[in-house]
Amino acid sequence: GAVVSQHPSWVICKSGTSVKIECRSLDFQATTMFWYRQFPKQSLMLMATSNEGSKATYEQGVEKDKFLINHASLTLSTLTVTSAHPEDSSFYICSASGTSGGSEQYFGPGTRLTVT
Amino acid sequence: QKEVEQDPGPLSVPEGAIVSLNCTYSNSAFQYFMWYRQYSRKGPELLMYTYSSGNKEDGRFTAQVDKSSKYISLFIRDSQPSDSATYLCAMRGGGTSYGKLTFGQGTILTVHP
């Protein structure tokens, strides 16, 4: 149980375009979903927290207009990187929790974004 | 000072060895403690989840929490080459933290045959 999927696993896009990444909880209802960013050989950095049906809460320094998060259902959250730049190239990972307190988070396999 | 300190290693051990991974933290509000395993280019996998001080065992893994010393450990017995990965400690507070995890830097472990 507690499986989280992400799509796509790897995406290459050109500067200035937008990219959407999907995060799905396959066998449980995810009350809360989290989006992280990870640079090579570094730890995970939380970008935002989203509760189903509510606006996402962004961490300090994360541009909400650039990283659009939608959590429209209890099994799906999306992250859209708008007007992507090469510095947005990174590994994006989502996690999901079945409780509003996020007691246990289960992570997706990650999406590698390369912006050329 | 970082809220969570974890020695990045790398740590290299022979197969069958007992591995000890550690994290220290400074925020006394942290109440929930987790260990994740992350293989290269994959998402983290939850290994252990603990709340109270003391030991929790699951197969070859034992998680230890000492809240008085703000110190947590993960022990791996009879280590296998398949255990080679990055191990991340993570922790969070209760109440209104809404699940925000604070991660350690991660320890790179290699178990060689």
Side-chain angles (χ1 to χ4, degrees):
Chain A
V3 179
V4 177
S5 70
Q6 277 185 246
H7 178 80
S9 57
W10 187 25
V11 57
I12 301 174
C13 71
K14 293 184 178 180
S15 290
T17 62
S18 295
V19 174
K20 180 183 285 188
I21 302 170
E22 292 186 350
C23 177
R24 293 181 184 273
S25 58
L26 299 185
D27 53 2
F28 67 102
Q29 293 186 324
T31 308
T32 307
M33 285 187 168
F34 307 83
W35 286 94
Y36 295 84
R37 187 173 180 176
Q38 186 177 34
F39 291 104
K41 297 187 178 181
Q42 293 190 25
S43 193
L44 284 75
M45 182 190 77
L46 179 65
M47 299 176 65
T49 302
S50 71
N51 291 294
E52 184 264 339
S54 302
K55 289 185 178 180
T57 301
Y58 290 80
E59 294 299 302
Q60 191 173 12
V62 178
E63 300 175 61
K64 60 180 67 177
D65 294 331
K66 182 170 184 61
F67 298 100
L68 302 179
I69 292 171
N70 183 278
H71 191 168
S73 77
L74 285 171
T75 59
L76 173 65
S77 177
T78 60
L79 167 67
T80 301
V81 182
T82 63
S83 187
H85 290 274
E87 56 265 32
D88 297 326
S89 299
S90 188
F91 194 50
Y92 292 88
I93 309 175
C94 72
S95 72
S97 171
T99 64
S100 59
S103 297
E104 293 184 52
Q105 292 184 30
Y106 298 92
F107 284 79
T111 296
R112 183 161 303 279
L113 170 64
T114 301
V115 184
T116 61
Chain B
Q1 182 188 6
K2 294 180 181 178
E3 281 190 294
V4 179
E5 297 278 358
Q6 182 177 7
D7 186 344
L11 184 61
S12 181
V13 301
E15 183 175 356
I18 296 174
V19 177
S20 173
L21 304 167
N22 312 294
C23 288
T24 59
Y25 61 97
S26 58
N27 189 344
S28 58
F30 288 141
Q31 296 181 26
Y32 301 90
F33 306 91
M34 287 135 276
W35 284 96
Y36 287 88
R37 176 174 63 194
Q38 186 177 25
Y39 292 112
S40 181
R41 302 195 176 196
K42 300 291 184 182
E45 172 193 7
L46 180 64
L47 288 176
M48 302 288 282
Y49 173 81
T50 57
Y51 169 71
S52 58
S53 285
N55 294 351
K56 181 178 181 180
E57 189 173 318
D58 185 0
R60 295 186 295 113
F61 299 94
T62 299
Q64 192 174 76
V65 174
D66 183 345
K67 290 187 177 180
S68 62
S69 301
K70 296 189 178 64
Y71 187 89
I72 68 171
S73 300
L74 177 70
F75 298 96
I76 306 174
R77 291 183 299 280
D78 188 25
S79 56
Q80 303 294 311
S82 59
D83 294 328
S84 298
T86 297
Y87 289 80
L88 297 154
C89 66
M91 47 198 79
R92 72 172 188 93
T96 58
S97 64
Y98 293 114
K100 177 181 175 180
L101 293 180
T102 302
F103 283 88
Q105 187 175 350
T107 300
I108 300 171
L109 171 67
T110 300
V111 181
H112 51 85

